[in-house]
Amino acid sequence: MIAEGEHQQQDFKYKITDACKLAKSVSAFSNTDGGRLMIGVRDDGHLSGVRSEEEVYMMQVAAEVYCKPTVQISFERLVAGGRQIVIAHVPVSDHKPIRALCDDGRYRAFIRMADENIVASPVHVRIWKDEQSPRGQVFSYSDIENKVFSALHTDKFLTLNQVVRRSGVKRPQVIVTLARMIRYGLVTCQFIEHQFLFGSLEL
């Protein structure tokens, strides 16, 4: 597992000193594909080991206190090279979005992109909320949908703010419309140069 390195479903934690930082990883895994945090492993893959049960306790606090709603994680203990490694298994949540308490006191939802935890866009949050209800069989076009879709017919991907300006539609309505279009496979969202960009599937 260590040889795989950090990736979409695996993160290394040398030691646990900040429950808020851990909560971001729990949020990201829960909102994406699930994953495991290997506690007692440095970023370069070297083993440091878990020094006390306090670190495991802080992991539980991160998932159960610093995340809303709470996340039920499970633990597995292994011994490698004479050192104890704790693996925290984080499941995909059925109650997305899972938000984590940040340093500024606000709760934010995160998404896992490769080996990074990224703050989710408002469109992702809307998609997760919409997934709680069944999707209809037919996608209906109103004036708003037409304006948003027309704005996306360009030779490049656009940020959320660019879609708002080009379409002339209010931001909350653009967020709802983009979320629906992504769910119906009409629009794609990509993470490019540290920002989420949207475009029609014709790009």
Side-chain angles (χ1 to χ4, degrees):
M1 289 187 288
I2 292 175
E4 295 176 9
E6 294 183 309
H7 53 70
Q8 183 90 2
Q9 293 181 281
Q10 181 165 280
D11 199 3
F12 297 157
K13 295 296 179 186
Y14 159 50
K15 59 182 178 179
I16 295 177
T17 57
D18 188 341
C20 280
K21 187 175 181 180
L22 271 178
K24 295 176 183 177
S25 293
V26 174
S27 168
F29 281 136
S30 297
N31 289 330
T32 315
D33 300 318
R36 57 181 177 250
L37 285 93
M38 302 189 70
I39 306 167
V41 180
R42 297 177 183 270
D43 289 344
D44 60 7
H46 284 83
L47 304 179
S48 58
V50 174
R51 300 179 180 180
S52 72
E53 286 299 308
E54 181 70 18
E55 295 187 51
V56 176
Y57 171 73
M58 285 187 66
M59 183 72 216
Q60 290 177 309
V61 170
E64 298 175 9
V65 178
Y66 288 83
C67 285
K68 288 185 177 181
T70 61
V71 179
Q72 298 300 315
I73 58 178
S74 60
F75 294 95
E76 178 183 4
R77 289 170 170 78
L78 301 174
V79 176
R83 300 178 186 274
Q84 179 178 250
I85 308 301
V86 175
I87 303 175
H89 295 277
V90 183
V92 177
S93 176
D94 293 327
H95 305 286
K96 303 173 187 176
I98 300 296
R99 291 184 169 89
L101 180 63
C102 297
D103 295 334
D104 61 2
R106 297 177 61 185
Y107 281 85
R108 294 184 178 88
F110 289 79
I111 190 169
R112 185 77 175 173
M113 306 290 293
D115 61 349
E116 294 185 85
N117 302 323
I118 309 295
V119 176
S121 75
V123 176
H124 284 101
V125 174
R126 183 68 202 194
I127 290 172
W128 293 326
K129 289 181 177 179
D130 289 348
E131 286 175 345
Q132 304 302 316
S133 59
R135 188 184 72 173
Q137 296 297 315
V138 178
F139 184 89
S140 59
Y141 277 87
S142 68
D143 185 50
I144 291 176
E145 279 77 18
N146 283 328
K147 287 180 178 179
V148 172
F149 205 59
S150 295
L152 293 170
H153 274 278
T154 177
D155 59 353
K156 62 179 181 179
F157 287 90
L158 304 175
T159 65
L160 174 59
N161 288 337
Q162 288 173 329
V163 176
V164 171
R165 288 195 297 269
R166 284 174 177 256
S167 66
V169 176
K170 293 181 179 179
R171 182 183 174 89
Q173 293 175 312
V174 170
I175 291 171
V176 171
T177 303
L178 285 176
R180 289 187 65 216
M181 287 180 169
I182 291 172
R183 289 189 72 199
Y184 276 84
L186 302 173
V187 168
T188 183
C189 174
Q190 297 190 18
F191 190 68
I192 303 173
E193 296 181 353
H194 306 291
Q195 58 184 348
F196 289 104
L197 301 177
F198 305 89
S200 71
L201 290 177
E202 297 175 1
L203 287 176

